Amino acid sequence: MALRLIQEGFAVVSPRSPARLRLRVSRTPEGLRLEASGPLQRVEQDVRGGRGSLAELHLEVAQKLTEMTRAVQSEPEPEPPVPVPVPPPSPVPEPAPMLPVEVAAAPRPSELEVSLGVGTLWRGPGVDPLLLLSVRRGLGAFGLDAEVGLGRSREPALTVFEAQGGAFFSYRLSLTERLQLEPGAGAGLVLHSFRLEDDGVLEQTGTQVSPAGWARMKLRWRFTEQLAAEVRVSLGLLRPVSHVREGETLWSRDGARFETGAQLSWGL
């Protein structure tokens, strides 16, 4: 930043020395706050962090501070002196005009993301595969998610399908330039459908619906602004279910279930 201001024609001095313009950069919960104070006015701007790479953040801060220093240089111009006739000076060659430099704007993070992955449903006595699909709408660091999942369990005398759907509220925290942590919480429904492999039972099929709530944590690694890999851990609470035949438990699920999985996410 000091080099950029020197290129703009400013003399950068120590903070303890008298200066016509003073710049301050301070940290805020959302990112950085930029302040520029001049003889007649003072301006501020906020820069949000976590939206791009560190180099893109440096470029945005440098551009904004340079614009702010120009804005606070609004001192009244001294009245020009009365012109005095002087002999014409010797012709001096004009300097070559400077070419304009165009800087590409930093890419904005995708506000709509789609994730697809597979996981495992730990339901106490058994372990079942789980297929997951989610859509996230970003609101800055916060986000609203819609997530659906499908699990299948097969026993010798029973086949079970469980479809789950929920809405989540999440917060995305940047640990490094590419590593992000995303806690979230949500609520929804779990549809439990079963089929008994026994011709002697009157009700061979059935469906149950249970409300459910989840506490979820994701760890994300961004390959690009659009593509990321996620590891998902979730704890769900819902109504327990068990299937018993002649005193023998064919299948059961407790009121709490633990979900793990991995997903690929891309922005639209």
Side-chain angles (χ1 to χ4, degrees):
M1 190 59 230
L3 178 60
R4 177 68 179 270
L5 293 176
I6 292 174
Q7 293 173 343
E8 293 289 329
F10 293 92
V12 181
V13 299
S14 167
R16 295 178 295 275
S17 303
R20 296 178 59 194
L21 304 177
R22 289 187 179 273
L23 306 180
R24 173 188 287 271
V25 180
S26 56
R27 184 182 295 273
T28 65
E30 293 77 18
L32 299 174
R33 174 162 295 167
L34 314 179
E35 303 176 17
S37 302
L40 298 180
Q41 60 178 326
R42 176 175 171 270
V43 295
E44 293 182 1
Q45 288 198 52
D46 290 332
V47 177
R48 292 173 53 189
R51 299 181 301 173
S53 65
L54 186 60
E56 294 166 353
L57 176 63
H58 286 174
L59 177 60
E60 183 178 0
V61 171
Q63 289 177 325
K64 287 189 175 182
L65 281 177
T66 303
E67 294 172 359
M68 293 165 66
T69 54
R70 294 170 180 162
V72 298
Q73 293 186 87
S74 56
E75 292 187 79
E77 295 288 338
E79 296 184 3
V82 179
V84 178
V86 294
S90 301
V92 178
E94 296 183 357
M98 298 182 62
L99 296 177
V101 178
E102 295 184 0
V103 179
R108 295 177 59 86
S110 301
E111 295 183 352
L112 188 64
E113 298 176 358
V114 177
S115 300
L116 180 63
V118 294
T120 302
L121 172 60
W122 307 80
R123 54 175 177 85
V127 179
D128 302 326
L130 183 64
L131 180 65
L132 291 166
L133 173 65
S134 62
V135 178
R136 183 180 191 271
R137 174 71 175 182
L139 305 172
F142 295 93
L144 295 176
D145 301 28
E147 183 176 276
V148 294
L150 179 63
R152 180 180 181 273
S153 177
R154 177 148 181 103
E155 301 292 343
L158 183 72
T159 301
V160 173
F161 288 93
E162 285 197 327
Q164 63 188 54
F168 287 80
F169 182 75
S170 61
Y171 178 78
R172 187 166 290 176
L173 175 65
S174 295
L175 302 179
T176 65
E177 183 179 347
R178 296 188 179 275
L179 187 62
Q180 296 175 323
L181 191 66
E182 184 181 313
L189 297 174
V190 173
L191 178 68
H192 177 90
S193 177
F194 66 92
R195 178 179 178 83
L196 285 169
E197 306 295 337
D198 189 347
D199 296 336
V201 178
L202 295 179
E203 295 184 1
Q204 293 185 345
T205 62
T207 301
Q208 300 178 17
V209 179
S210 171
W214 291 272
R216 188 188 67 187
M217 181 69 70
K218 286 185 178 182
L219 188 64
R220 307 180 74 251
W221 177 266
R222 295 190 308 117
F223 298 104
T224 65
E225 286 294 335
Q226 284 73 35
L227 180 63
E230 302 176 342
V231 177
R232 176 186 184 274
V233 178
S234 177
L235 178 63
L237 297 177
L238 69 167
R239 187 169 55 205
V241 177
S242 63
H243 297 279
V244 180
R245 183 183 61 181
E246 298 179 356
E248 177 188 2
T249 300
L250 302 178
W251 189 94
S252 67
R253 169 174 50 74
D254 298 332
R257 66 185 197 176
F258 186 61
E259 303 171 7
T260 59
Q263 297 175 274
L264 277 179
S265 171
W266 57 92
L268 303 179

